[in-house]
Amino acid sequence: MKKIYLFLFSVFLFSSCMKGKKVDLIVHNAKIHTIDGNYSIEEAMAIKDGKIVELGPERQILNKYRCDETIDANGKEIYPGFTDSHGHLLSLIDQRLNLDLTGTKSFEEVLFKLEKYASKRKFIVGRGWDQASWTNTQFPTNKKLNELYPNTPILLIRVDGHAALVNDCLMKKAHLSKDSKIEGGKVFIENDKETGIILDNAINEVTKLIPAFSLKEKQSALLEIQEELFQFGITSVHEAGINFEDIKLFESLISKNKLDLNIYAMLYPSKENMDFAQKNGHYTNKSLSIRSFKVVGDGSLGSRGACLKKPYSDDMHTHGFLTTSLAELQQIATFCRKTNYQMNTHAIGDSTNKVVLDIISETFKYKKDHRWRIEHAQVLDVIDIQKLTLCGAFPSVQPTHAVSDQRWAENRIGKERLKGAYAYKSILDATGIMALGTDFPVESFNPFLTIHAAVQRKNEQNSPSKGFLKNEAL
């Protein structure tokens, strides 16, 4: 009897695909989450030319459309593609093509990986180490690097991209020393000698010396990353900062119909990029969209480069710094108003967030629906949270930062400032709108870890058991 029912259903399905309007694909026997106003769930959908024509009950869709292909989803859940609203494809490409130090448990492990890799390169670049996860949580020095590699330039970038360890060979090539004065950057000194640790804009002095990878190498890495993103259901990425030459990388794949990932690219405010914005306005080329600028307001909390109103609780000699001066921030804001581009500003510390909110408040006078973004909005003075809604600021946050930083966050900023840190529920209550992202490769681009961190305030290992600042869960 069961075989007869299966046969009859097959005949019904075949006949239903022979009548009605022609489409390319029907997906049925599914739980399709439409994310409409009612969050309704449908059983089937018809698709033509890559677009959903209709969603509805299974029988309705199967009767109304004929198709070349059907997919029985076997009752599984189907969601719209995820958008990672803050990622770094280009940084991930560099990490894949260079030495990946993600997950290293000690500086000794970094040196071990370096030894296996060193023979392959004349200029060694690595990224992903995080001293906060080591037994010795102090920044390392370059003493061992100088002993082992006296004539090979070495650049080892911290996981957040805001601190790096370089050897003396590279320091000399970049003309960096204890006497260097770099606005928005820092060269660490100990016992009147450089330690090899440099922060933020000081890193720019060495990265411009790195030999470039070929376009073909970058294309290959990007296509691999694209497939991995698709496997996690990510179909769109807001690329948080590109240089002018990076546009060529994306468009070279678009011209070959190989870039299926939707990319919302933010331009760094260089002269070439500003000229591009003036000439092209809001720019679209198939899956690539460009209509915003990414501005780096300060550094990271983990590297103590985030700009705070008062000194760090675990280092009273510093309160961080702005990596883009107030005058430059205001100039970029004026340019963005004139070109009708979004201004999306990296703001970690409470001082930087206050500065950015003041700038956005000026824009609010001219355009209420400007949608200028604060990227991270990580540590806010509690009194500044309500200012978000008063100026129409659009917060873009990365929930996995909260559960990664929870090990040391209170030590960095103290209990009082923690009240306005990673305060996603308070921010959402104030603004009514929020974009979520991962900040990969700083964190994993797995969107389910982001959702888990946002809702449970726990990391992948379900730590801490009660959730970090659980009152701020979404």
Side-chain angles (χ1 to χ4, degrees):
M1 195 61 138
K2 186 177 180 183
K3 289 182 179 178
I4 293 173
Y5 282 133
L6 285 172
F7 172 75
L8 290 173
F9 181 75
S10 298
V11 171
F12 165 75
L13 186 58
F14 177 76
S15 63
S16 66
C17 284
M18 296 299 291
K19 61 187 178 181
K21 298 176 184 176
K22 178 76 166 61
V23 293
D24 300 324
L25 173 68
I26 289 176
V27 181
H28 67 100
N29 187 21
K31 294 177 181 175
I32 304 170
H33 296 258
T34 64
I35 318 296
D36 61 9
N38 299 316
Y39 289 91
S40 55
I41 298 175
E42 301 290 357
E43 297 174 329
M45 60 181 170
I47 298 168
K48 185 173 176 60
D49 298 329
K51 294 183 179 180
I52 297 171
V53 177
E54 186 176 349
L55 296 119
E58 179 157 324
R59 180 171 292 184
Q60 175 182 310
I61 300 299
L62 291 173
N63 281 332
K64 190 172 179 180
Y65 298 95
R66 59 188 176 89
C67 57
D68 296 324
E69 182 185 1
T70 62
I71 295 176
D72 184 340
N74 294 312
K76 292 179 181 176
E77 315 278 341
I78 296 178
Y79 295 88
F82 291 119
T83 294
D84 190 323
S85 67
H86 187 111
H88 298 276
L89 291 164
L90 297 160
S91 294
L92 187 53
I93 289 170
D94 285 342
Q95 185 164 299
R96 296 284 177 89
L97 293 176
N98 286 297
L99 175 61
D100 189 353
L101 298 172
T102 306
T104 47
K105 303 298 183 186
S106 65
F107 187 54
E108 288 69 31
E109 186 179 350
V110 169
L111 292 173
F112 176 74
K113 286 198 169 192
L114 195 58
E115 183 182 5
K116 294 177 70 176
Y117 180 83
S119 61
K120 300 178 184 178
R121 302 282 178 185
K122 294 180 180 179
F123 192 123
I124 299 172
V125 180
R127 176 168 176 157
W129 61 272
D130 179 9
Q131 89 290 348
S133 64
W134 300 346
T135 303
N136 180 2
T137 58
Q138 299 300 310
F139 275 131
T141 71
N142 66 3
K143 182 180 178 183
K144 275 288 184 183
L145 296 183
N146 295 332
E147 292 174 4
L148 297 169
Y149 310 100
N151 303 312
T152 304
I154 296 178
L155 167 63
L156 305 179
I157 303 171
R158 191 178 183 271
V159 63
D160 56 15
H162 291 274
L165 178 66
V166 298
N167 64 348
D168 285 352
C169 175
L170 183 52
M171 292 277 282
K172 289 173 185 173
K173 284 182 179 291
H175 305 292
L176 287 176
S177 71
K178 61 183 180 181
D179 300 317
S180 298
K181 304 295 181 186
I182 301 169
E183 188 175 356
K186 183 177 180 180
V187 176
F188 274 56
I189 309 298
E190 198 172 273
N191 298 324
D192 203 37
K193 187 183 183 309
E194 304 88 353
T195 68
I197 291 292
I198 56 177
L199 295 188
D200 294 297
N201 289 349
I203 300 174
N204 299 338
E205 300 302 308
V206 296
T207 54
K208 61 188 179 186
L209 301 176
I210 300 173
F213 287 103
S214 69
L215 180 61
K216 188 175 181 180
E217 287 174 308
K218 290 181 179 180
Q219 288 174 334
S220 178
L222 180 54
L223 290 176
E224 286 182 11
I225 292 166
Q226 173 177 256
E227 287 308 308
E228 292 176 37
L229 290 168
F230 287 163
Q231 289 171 27
F232 279 105
I234 298 169
T235 57
S236 180
V237 169
H238 294 191
E239 168 62 26
I242 69 169
N243 295 310
F244 182 69
E245 60 269 20
D246 299 323
I247 300 172
K248 181 182 177 182
L249 169 62
F250 297 135
E251 296 201 318
S252 66
L253 291 174
I254 289 171
S255 66
K256 298 176 183 177
N257 293 316
K258 290 185 176 181
L259 190 66
D260 297 314
L261 183 71
N262 289 310
I263 297 175
Y264 185 83
M266 309 175 199
L267 301 172
Y268 284 125
S270 65
K271 184 182 184 306
E272 297 95 332
N273 281 342
M274 287 179 158
D275 290 344
F276 175 90
Q278 278 189 313
K279 179 182 176 181
N280 295 282
H282 291 175
Y283 180 78
T284 302
N285 183 356
K286 295 183 179 178
S287 59
L288 175 66
S289 176
I290 301 175
R291 53 185 294 173
S292 64
F293 278 92
K294 165 68 181 301
V295 187
V296 182
D298 61 356
S300 74
L301 207 60
S303 302
R304 298 188 187 87
C307 191
L308 302 176
K309 292 182 177 182
K310 296 178 181 178
Y312 280 81
S313 299
D314 58 355
D315 187 350
M316 298 301 289
H317 296 98
T318 182
H319 52 73
F321 44 78
L322 290 177
T323 50
T324 303
S325 70
L326 179 57
E328 286 179 284
L329 287 169
Q330 290 170 334
Q331 287 170 5
I332 296 165
T334 300
F335 180 85
C336 287
R337 289 186 202 114
K338 290 179 179 177
T339 53
N340 194 26
Y341 263 52
Q342 265 185 323
M343 182 173 171
N344 303 335
T345 309
H346 164 116
I348 300 286
D350 54 7
S351 179
T352 312
N353 276 284
K354 168 68 164 57
V355 166
V356 175
L357 283 169
D358 288 344
I359 289 172
I360 294 178
S361 294
E362 283 300 306
T363 302
F364 190 65
K365 296 175 184 177
Y366 305 103
K367 187 179 180 182
K368 303 298 182 188
D369 187 27
H370 53 74
R371 300 175 73 83
W372 284 18
R373 288 166 48 161
I374 296 186
E375 304 296 327
H376 309 304
Q378 198 161 307
V379 181
L380 283 128
D381 192 322
V382 173
I383 63 171
D384 289 332
I385 290 178
Q386 289 305 316
K387 292 180 182 178
L388 285 161
T389 190
L390 296 176
C391 66
F394 184 173
S396 167
V397 305
Q398 299 73 43
T400 46
H401 284 336
V403 296
S404 292
D405 297 356
Q406 55 89 16
R407 297 161 295 165
W408 45 261
E410 186 173 339
N411 287 337
R412 281 283 191 282
I413 60 176
K415 208 160 199 171
E416 189 61 30
R417 281 184 291 199
L418 206 60
K419 293 175 183 177
Y422 316 96
Y424 307 139
K425 185 177 185 300
S426 295
I427 292 172
L428 183 59
D429 287 346
T431 61
I433 190 170
M434 178 177 283
L436 301 187
T438 63
D439 202 10
F440 70 80
V442 178
E443 306 279 359
S444 165
F445 52 58
N446 182 342
F448 302 101
L449 294 182
T450 293
I451 295 167
H452 185 60
V455 177
Q456 300 297 337
R457 305 286 288 201
K458 298 178 182 181
N459 64 16
E460 191 174 3
Q461 289 74 42
N462 280 314
S463 176
S465 58
K466 294 182 180 179
F468 175 59
L469 303 174
K470 190 64 187 290
N471 59 304
E472 291 294 350
L474 299 181

